[in-house]
Amino acid sequence: MLIKSKIIELDEWLFIEEIPDQYLPDKPLVEKREEIVRSPIVMNNFQLSTSGLFILYTNMQADQPAHIYTEIEGEAITSQFIFFKTPNSKLPYGMSRHNIRYIPTIKNSHEVKAGIEYTYFIAVISKEYYLNLIKKDSMLHRHFVEQIEKGHYTSFAEEDQMATYEMQQTIRELVDSKKTGEIRRLHTESRIVELLMYQFEQYNEKNDNKGSSSLYDEDNVKKLELARQILEQRMANPPNQKELAQEVFMSESKLRKDFKEYFSVTVHDYLTRIRMETARVLLLEEKISVYEVAIRTGYGHQNNFSSAFKKYYGISPGEVKTGKG
């Protein structure tokens, strides 16, 4: 596979990568991170490649409209995500769309609008690599494989879908991983399979529920993402579930049901998760007292916080601070 991309207005190639099609499980990964500042656009790129696989994750913003041109030569399957956020958006992660596509060879361009923050993720997978990850006879993608075998350009879903929280988390884990060597390669492969599974499942669930109100309706997703933002920003003094439902204009029962389905965790457990993750960072990186961490994460008493922390992590906050955990 040959993968190239450039900013049309500058006529400069951002990268040109030649990736072997063969699936070679012992082939090491090549990782690259770089910042590209070429007016009118600023990009922070992460690239990961090995035999049969190329991954690009980029954050980009332009001060005037620009166009990104991309070329892929050779049979490939792409798992592609675009997240976009306007300056006045109330949502911390903006809106999104994603799809899986089979591409015999393609040349296309998309516009980067001024003032909008974009996050772009694409995994370009050779046909051979893809069919080693997801077996050809799997019911998850039977109709998709039929089109691949015919050599026809096709999208797994007729319309792009909204990215779920679990998909976003999987992408972050893949990009932010500190693992190295063989463990890094295995971790990358498992995250790619996980991401594809989430995409397959969402499409199949949506098909099964045709004719009914969709969980992934844009307005519903906005409300759920806003509920998450409120919990994250106000974890020290969060609204109760009734108040949270009122703030995002949903009934309490619908909020509970849809939040659990969309984020794969209850409202209560999500609040606990972000409190514990924040507490761990404060203890390890900012080195502040257990009492202060308890206050910042919304526990009225240090003992209540210490009990919750030990239940969640299996060790006490004090042990984390002293490096015993």
Side-chain angles (χ1 to χ4, degrees), residues 200-263:
F200 291 152
E201 288 170 358
Q202 184 190 49
Y203 172 79
N204 291 332
E205 285 172 7
K206 189 169 184 177
N207 261 14
D208 291 343
N209 295 322
K210 274 186 177 176
S212 62
S213 178
S214 173
L215 170 64
Y216 304 107
D217 170 80
E218 184 173 323
D219 184 59
N220 207 42
V221 170
K222 284 183 178 180
K223 290 175 180 178
L224 293 170
E225 291 283 5
L226 183 56
R228 173 170 62 157
Q229 179 187 17
I230 290 169
L231 293 174
E232 291 177 351
Q233 293 182 344
R234 290 154 52 187
M235 75 174 79
N237 186 28
N240 61 39
Q241 292 187 25
K242 181 178 180 180
E243 293 167 340
L244 181 61
Q246 290 173 345
E247 288 194 44
V248 298
F249 303 101
M250 297 177 78
S251 70
E252 187 177 353
S253 61
K254 182 171 175 60
L255 172 65
R256 287 176 177 168
K257 176 179 177 294
D258 287 4
F259 195 99
K260 174 68 166 65
E261 289 186 35
Y262 183 70
F263 294 115

Side-chain angles (χ1 to χ4, degrees), residues 3 37 58 69 98 101 105 130 139 156 172 200 209 225 227 236 245 251 255-256 276 283 300:
I3 305 163
V37 182
T58 182
Y69 172 81
H98 74 90
R101 293 185 172 88
T105 287
Y130 176 80
M139 292 295 292
F156 188 85
R172 285 194 205 99
F200 291 152
N209 295 322
E225 291 283 5
S251 70
L255 172 65
R256 287 176 177 168
M276 292 298 104
L283 291 166

Side-chain angles (χ1 to χ4, degrees), residues 84-97:
F84 43 98
K85 180 182 175 184
T86 58
N88 60 352
S89 173
K90 294 181 179 180
L91 302 176
Y93 306 104
M95 298 305 293
S96 62
R97 64 178 187 267

